[in-house]
Amino acid sequence: MTKRSHFLWATSAVAAFAAVLTTAPANALVGTPTTTGLNFVAKINVGDKTSCTGSLVAEQWVLTAASCFTGAGISTTGKPALPTKVTVGRSDLTQTGGSVQSALALVPHAERDLVLVRLSERITGPAITPVPLASTPAADGEQLTKAGFGRTRTEWVPTKLHAGTFTVASRTDTTVNLNGSDTATVCQGDAGGPALRTVDGSPQLVSVTSRSWQGGCLGADPAETRTGAVDTRVDDLADWVKEVVAREKVTPADIDGDGKDDLVLQRIDGSVVVHRNLGTSFGPGTVMSSGWGRFVTGTDLGRLYFADVTGDNKADLIVHTNDGNIAVRKNMGTHFDGGTHWSAGWGRFLTGTDLGRLYFADITGDNKADLIVHTNDGNIAVRKNMGTYFDGGTHWSAGWGRFLTGTDQGRLRFGDTTGDGKADMYVHTIQNGEVAVRTNMGTYFNAGTRMITL
């Protein structure tokens, strides 16, 4: 009877080992130790017993197998259920160097054994660079290099990265079947590791380790001789990676009231982090609020905005929940308060794909942000800030029905370009890249002036 392949998510440093391998020893799992050319490969420790391998695919994101977190789980906020440490750029774990960070969030793929792990800090500089995803699938007979920190034939918890050559046997729409050899197999701890092709001297990520028969691995069934593996394809997932990375939303807003916009970062882990404007640079991040992981895209529990609603020159936190309510959390200097209800009925205005989209900016020039309603019929109405609520609104402009999502003709933004204290309307037309400013005339926006072509 043919045995099923095994998931590779767990490598345990404390599990008992009773089997005695009788097969000839190899240098190590997945071939031989390597210390060069694979600075993007990561060792992932989940809790104190489980480890996997991954690849840095963006400055703050490591791609690995979702099965690495089987048993450990992902919390309801998207955070790892167990403390997770990620070491990148250190092929010999007994040495120093590289980057050692905590994982702050996990974003699993909906249909494949993949998860993107968000690191606590960005990794920049020439010493460690992300590996690009391949744009074409593995071909039958193609040879790929696989790498991992998993077990070898003789080591339970190796300290060095190993690499070896595998041959593509076949592929499906989502997987790649690989043939190993006596000196190249895949063991516990290699789950999530990369399979790479070299193009013009540089590696590209073709697939990610998912399952293996583990023939010859330390602790595996001594009767098992198969050295093949099943990988998860990633050559068609560049857009998914870009979409996840882009979920961390950056908004300019004056948080400290000095008249200069700071950078407000909504992290995917749910925290709101402020990088203060220092004049020539932005300072280190300070967490002002947390728990907003499902408020980044507007497609889940809601959306956040940052604007000065109270008129004290400091941007407040505006919470737009999917039940249609809008609450204002006042800026208290180092945090936002518990919030006050201001408006209701906006449940279908979160993304621009339904009835419309909302914006917040000071249209009237009284130093307090008003509510701008952009409906899918193309109309723009301004609901004036009355101190504790927004009024019934006044029509200001029309013809903007194809500027709601940014995927049709363009997008609208609102900000004070003329310096008169009243927000103007920015029109970004995506077909020609033109950005025009329509000046706030008190009760309408004028015909506009082209400012730049992007």
Side-chain angles (χ1 to χ4, degrees):
M1 182 175 68
T2 300
K3 296 180 181 178
R4 297 180 65 186
S5 58
H6 302 290
F7 281 98
L8 302 171
W9 60 268
T11 270
S12 174
V14 298
F17 172 57
V20 177
L21 298 180
T22 58
T23 52
N27 287 328
L29 159 73
V30 207
T32 56
T34 181
T35 58
T36 59
L38 299 173
N39 60 11
F40 51 83
V41 180
K43 173 70 178 288
I44 303 170
N45 292 96
V46 183
D48 59 0
K49 293 184 178 181
T50 302
S51 67
C52 291
T53 304
S55 301
L56 186 74
V57 294
E59 289 182 346
Q60 209 162 357
W61 295 89
V62 167
L63 181 62
T64 187
S67 49
C68 291
F69 296 89
T70 300
I74 302 172
S75 70
T76 56
T77 62
K79 297 180 181 180
L82 293 175
T84 299
K85 182 179 75 172
V86 182
T87 303
V88 186
R90 187 185 296 178
S91 57
D92 185 344
L93 300 175
T94 66
Q95 303 297 312
T96 59
S99 177
V100 182
Q101 300 190 31
S102 297
L104 293 187
L106 304 174
V107 182
H109 191 276
E111 299 173 346
R112 302 189 194 181
D113 182 20
L114 295 170
V115 64
L116 278 164
V117 181
R118 186 195 182 281
L119 306 178
S120 55
E121 300 291 341
R122 296 182 186 276
I123 296 177
T124 59
I128 306 174
T129 55
V131 61
L133 270 61
S135 58
T136 56
D140 290 358
E142 181 179 5
Q143 290 190 324
L144 301 175
T145 299
K146 290 185 71 62
F149 283 99
R151 298 177 191 172
T152 70
R153 292 180 184 268
T154 57
E155 295 177 284
W156 195 265
V157 186
T159 59
K160 293 182 179 179
L161 177 68
H162 293 79
T165 301
F166 289 72
T167 303
V168 176
S170 62
R171 74 170 191 267
T172 70
D173 289 342
T174 59
T175 62
V176 179
N177 296 305
L178 297 167
N179 290 330
S181 66
D182 289 342
T183 57
T185 187
V186 173
C187 301
Q188 295 277 17
D190 290 312
L196 306 158
R197 72 159 59 105
T198 301
V199 178
D200 296 330
S202 298
Q204 294 181 353
L205 182 61
V206 177
S207 59
V208 166
T209 302
S210 178
R211 306 185 299 280
S212 166
W213 283 272
Q214 305 179 57
C217 297
L218 185 61
D221 182 354
E224 180 59 78
T225 60
R226 288 173 293 179
T227 57
V230 180
D231 272 22
T232 304
R233 283 179 57 178
V234 300
D235 58 274
D236 57 344
L237 295 182
D239 287 343
W240 173 67
V241 172
K242 290 179 182 178
E243 187 273 327
V244 172
V245 172
R247 288 182 190 178
E248 294 209 314
K249 184 178 178 182
V250 176
T251 304
D254 184 5
I255 296 295
D256 55 16
D258 63 357
K260 298 178 293 184
D261 277 350
D262 308 296
L263 287 185
V264 184
L265 173 63
Q266 286 178 251
R267 286 182 174 171
I268 201 167
D269 65 357
S271 57
V272 173
V273 180
V274 176
H275 293 264
R276 299 187 186 278
N277 187 331
L278 303 179
T280 58
S281 64
F282 292 98
T286 301
V287 177
M288 284 192 65
S289 191
S290 59
W292 305 104
R294 299 174 68 182
F295 283 76
V296 178
T297 63
T299 58
D300 194 352
L301 293 186
R303 180 181 291 277
L304 304 184
Y305 312 83
F306 299 89
D308 179 14
V309 175
T310 60
D312 62 357
N313 297 317
K314 297 183 293 184
D316 307 295
L317 169 58
I318 304 163
V319 182
H320 180 185
T321 44
N322 60 8
D323 61 4
N325 288 313
I326 292 175
V328 175
R329 295 197 172 211
K330 184 177 179 180
N331 184 332
M332 306 302 291
T334 58
H335 66 282
F336 301 102
D337 72 9
T340 305
H341 174 79
W342 272 59
S343 192
W346 306 105
R348 299 176 66 183
F349 284 76
L350 281 158
T351 65
T353 59
D354 193 355
L355 293 186
R357 180 183 289 275
L358 304 183
Y359 314 84
F360 294 86
D362 181 10
I363 297 293
T364 60
D366 63 357
N367 210 38
K368 296 182 292 185
D370 306 295
L371 169 59
I372 304 159
V373 182
H374 181 184
T375 44
N376 60 7
D377 60 5
N379 288 313
I380 303 287
V382 175
R383 295 201 171 208
K384 184 178 178 180
N385 183 328
M386 305 303 292
T388 57
Y389 65 96
F390 301 103
D391 72 9
T394 304
H395 174 79
W396 271 59
S397 191
W400 305 106
R402 300 179 66 183
F403 284 75
L404 280 158
T405 64
T407 59
D408 191 354
Q409 287 193 354
R411 275 294 309 273
L412 305 182
R413 301 290 194 281
F414 295 86
D416 181 10
T417 301
T418 61
D420 63 357
K422 297 182 292 184
D424 308 295
M425 183 166 73
Y426 292 72
V427 181
H428 183 191
T429 305
I430 58 176
Q431 285 91 341
N432 57 16
E434 181 178 288
V435 178
V437 174
R438 297 201 169 208
T439 301
N440 183 331
M441 305 303 293
T443 57
Y444 65 96
F445 301 105
N446 73 4
T449 303
R450 184 179 66 83
M451 299 291 286
I452 192 172
T453 298
L454 300 177

